[in-house]
Amino acid sequence: MSNHTFRPFLDAFLTAWKCSSLMELEHFISKDYQARGVSIENLKVQHEQPL
């Protein structure tokens, strides 16, 4: 991707991010993306497991 195409993409993404616009951010999210829920219990379990 050249700078001529990347810079407008980045500017549009950052504008959507700064505005917290889900409608605008939707254009940058993959159609295959599947969100996962996060809970405090999940974070504690992951944190307490040894590395």
Side-chain angles (χ1 to χ4, degrees):
M1 181 181 291
S2 73
N3 193 40
H4 295 291
T5 56
F6 178 73
R7 191 62 204 197
F9 168 84
L10 179 61
D11 290 341
F13 175 81
L14 292 175
T15 298
W17 181 268
K18 288 176 187 175
C19 295
S20 298
S21 172
L22 294 178
M23 297 292 283
E24 290 181 43
L25 286 170
E26 181 178 27
H27 301 286
F28 302 98
I29 300 170
S30 169
K31 302 281 187 219
D32 298 329
Y33 177 75
Q34 295 182 5
R36 293 182 228 152
V38 176
S39 67
I40 291 176
E41 290 77 25
N42 290 345
L43 293 175
K44 287 180 183 177
V45 170
Q46 290 177 1
H47 184 292
E48 293 171 358
Q49 292 177 349
L51 297 175

